[in-house]
Amino acid sequence: MKRLLIFATVAVLTMSACAQSSNAKKYIKKYDVINIVKELPKGNAEKFWDAVHNQNKRVQELGKAIEEGNKTALQTAEDLIEICSITQHYDVTVDGFTDLTERIAKDMGIIENHRKCPIRIINDNTYNASMDPMGQLRINVGTIRTLSYEELMAVCAHEIAHLACMHTFEEALKTERKQKLNKFWAELEAGLLVGAAAASAGFGIANGVEVQSANTILSNAGYFLEVSYADAEESTIRFSYRYTRDQEIEADVIAYRFMEYMGYGVQHWISAIRKIKEVDTRTVQSKYDDHPLPALRLEILETLESETMNRGNMYSRLIGTGKVTKREIGSREEFINTIKDKKAAKEFYVRMIESGLLTAKDIGAEKDFINSVSADFWR
C-alpha cells in the first residue's frame, strides 16, 4: 500500500510538472516576439519598442477602431486620459533620482517623441512598479533598493511592454463593450486613488498590497462615477489597471526578449522574478489575482533560457571540432538566431553534411541534432 501511495504521489507530481512545462511553451508560442525583432539592428531600444507596438495585431485593431471614429473606443480613450490625470495629485514622489531616471529613459529607449515616458519615483518601500495607461512609469523606492540596475531595467521593460501593447486600453475597451462601465471605472478610479503601491498593475506583488478601505477613499475623493458603494469597495480590494494574466505573461516574454536583444542579460529578468517569488508565496491562483503565479512566470522564462542554452551548447561543440569557425557558422549569437525552429535546424544540418564541413560523427545523426538544438521549441 505504501508503495502504491508513493507511486501515485510521484505520478501526480510528474503530471503536474509536465502540465506546467506544456503551459509555458503554450504561452511562449502565443506571445513570443522573436520573429518580429530578430531582423532589427541589435541594441536599438527605440526600434525594438516600435516593432513590438506596430506589428502587434491586437494593437493594430485597437488603432483602427480609434482611426475609424468608433464611439466606444474614443470614449474609452477619453475616460482613461481623464482618470490618469488625477493620479499625479496622489503620488508622493521623491526627488534626488534624476540621474537614475535619465539613465533608465536612455537605456530603455523612452526619451524621444511618441516613445517618451515620464518616470516618477514613488516614496513607497514596497517592491513594486507600474505603468499607467497614458505612459507614465512609476517605480517605488523599495524596488530601487531591492534590485540591481540590470534587474530594474528588466522590470521597466515589462512595464513598457504593457504600454506598447496597449493592454489597459484593450481591457478597458472590452469592459465598455460588455456594458460594465460603472464597475470598471469605479474600480479604476478607486485603485488610482490609493496611490502607486496599491494601484500598480504591471509588476511585482501588487496583488498582495493592502489598500485603504473604499469608505476612506470615497470620503476623501468626491468624484467617483455613478456607481454603488458595494461595487467600489469590492473593486478596490484587488485593484489593478485591468491587466489580465495573459497580458502579464505577454509582458514577461517581451521583457525577456528586450533584455536578450539589448545584450543586457536575460538572467537579470529571471533573478528579478525569483526575488518576487521570495515575497509572493502564492501557490494557488485566486480568482482575484491578475498576476500569474510566480512559479509559472519563472517556468516560462527558464524555458526561453533553456532554448537558447541548448543551441549555445551545440555551437560550442561544433566550434570544438576544429572543422568549422565563425566564418562558416557565424558567431554564437548568429547561430542561435539562425536555428530558430526545427525546419531551420534541419536546413543547417543538411548544409553542413552536404558541404563536407562536418560529418555525422561530428554533428550526430540528423534526428539527434534537431532534438538537441530544439528541445524546447514549440513549433
Side-chain angles (χ1 to χ4, degrees):
M1 183 67 176
K2 186 176 180 180
R3 285 185 177 181
L4 285 174
L5 287 173
I6 293 173
F7 177 78
T9 301
V10 171
V12 168
L13 291 174
T14 301
M15 286 188 292
S16 176
C18 289
Q20 187 177 37
S21 178
S22 176
N23 283 336
K25 292 177 182 179
K26 177 189 73 174
Y27 285 122
I28 293 170
K29 180 177 181 180
K30 187 174 183 181
Y31 295 122
D32 199 3
V33 295
I34 186 63
N35 290 328
I36 293 176
V37 302
K38 66 183 179 182
E39 301 299 333
L40 297 176
K42 294 295 181 182
N44 190 317
E46 291 89 350
K47 288 187 180 298
F48 179 93
W49 294 120
D50 282 350
V52 168
H53 176 79
N54 294 333
Q55 297 188 47
N56 184 299
K57 291 182 179 178
R58 301 195 322 278
V59 170
Q60 291 172 4
E61 292 172 359
L62 293 171
K64 184 178 179 181
I66 294 175
E67 287 177 5
E68 293 179 349
N70 180 282
K71 291 182 178 180
T72 306
L74 292 175
Q75 186 60 51
T76 301
E78 289 176 8
D79 290 342
L80 283 174
I81 292 171
E82 181 178 355
I83 288 179
C84 286
S85 67
I86 297 170
T87 62
Q88 60 183 326
H89 302 297
Y90 293 87
D91 283 339
V92 181
T93 57
V94 183
D95 296 326
F97 288 91
T98 303
D99 289 346
L100 175 64
T101 56
E102 288 181 352
R103 182 184 178 189
I104 291 172
K106 180 180 178 181
D107 290 344
M108 300 305 298
I110 53 174
I111 294 178
E112 299 177 0
N113 303 326
H114 62 285
R115 305 183 202 93
K116 188 169 184 179
C117 222
I119 301 174
R120 296 166 69 87
I121 306 301
I122 307 302
N123 188 20
D124 191 307
N125 288 321
T126 57
Y127 177 14
N128 228 331
S130 65
M131 175 71 74
D132 80 19
M134 295 301 108
Q136 181 171 249
L137 177 59
R138 294 181 177 84
I139 305 172
N140 285 6
V141 170
T143 304
I144 296 171
R145 291 172 178 167
T146 302
L147 304 179
S148 68
Y149 180 71
E150 290 77 12
E151 289 169 338
L152 183 60
M153 281 198 295
V155 170
C156 292
H158 173 100
E159 299 304 334
I160 297 167
H162 280 308
L163 183 66
C165 295
M166 297 178 68
H167 282 161
T168 302
F169 182 76
E170 178 184 33
E171 196 61 20
L173 184 57
K174 283 182 185 177
T175 305
E176 291 227 24
R177 285 174 172 167
K178 291 177 182 178
Q179 296 184 337
K180 294 180 180 177
L181 300 178
N182 288 347
K183 182 176 181 180
F184 172 78
W185 294 116
E187 182 174 335
L188 181 59
E189 195 156 3
L192 290 174
L193 291 174
V194 302
S200 64
F203 180 76
I205 52 171
N207 296 303
V209 176
E210 292 184 2
V211 301
Q212 54 186 117
S213 69
N215 184 43
T216 304
I217 297 167
L218 283 165
S219 65
N220 290 341
Y223 44 76
F224 266 92
L225 302 184
E226 295 179 2
V227 296
S228 68
Y229 169 79
D231 277 347
E233 181 176 36
E234 179 181 358
S235 299
T236 305
I237 294 173
R238 292 280 180 177
F239 173 78
S240 76
Y241 279 128
R242 299 297 291 181
Y243 296 150
T244 66
R245 293 171 196 170
D246 270 36
Q247 288 173 336
E248 293 296 343
I249 290 172
E250 182 176 25
D252 277 354
V253 173
I254 292 173
Y256 179 97
R257 289 304 185 193
F258 177 83
M259 296 297 287
E260 178 184 58
Y261 166 82
M262 293 296 295
Y264 294 149
V266 297
Q267 69 274 14
H268 299 298
W269 184 211
I270 293 172
S271 63
I273 293 293
R274 285 185 179 138
K275 288 181 180 179
I276 293 175
K277 195 169 183 286
E278 292 174 4
V279 183
D280 184 357
T281 57
R282 292 174 301 136
T283 56
V284 178
Q285 195 82 61
S286 163
K287 69 177 182 178
Y288 296 109
D289 297 338
D290 50 17
H291 282 64
L293 295 177
L296 176 58
R297 299 178 72 180
L298 199 55
E299 173 76 11
I300 291 169
L301 300 186
E302 288 176 341
T303 298
L304 281 165
E305 184 185 38
S306 65
E307 163 199 321
T308 302
M309 288 177 64
N310 285 334
R311 288 173 286 172
N313 290 339
M314 177 56 73
Y315 179 82
S316 298
R317 175 182 168 182
L318 297 181
I319 293 293
T321 65
K323 294 184 177 182
V324 292
T325 65
K326 290 182 179 180
R327 188 172 64 178
E328 288 82 28
I329 64 175
S331 65
R332 183 179 185 276
E333 183 182 16
E334 289 169 342
F335 176 81
I336 289 171
N337 289 335
T338 298
I339 311 298
K340 61 183 183 301
D341 54 29
K342 289 186 176 182
K343 181 181 177 182
K346 181 175 182 177
E347 290 173 352
F348 177 87
Y349 182 91
V350 171
R351 180 164 60 86
M352 291 294 104
I353 297 296
E354 290 184 349
S355 66
L357 288 171
L358 296 167
T359 66
K361 186 177 180 180
D362 302 315
I363 202 170
E366 180 179 317
K367 182 178 179 181
D368 292 337
F369 173 81
I370 293 173
N371 287 338
S372 176
V373 300
S374 62
D376 294 290
F377 286 159
W378 54 87
R379 299 175 178 85

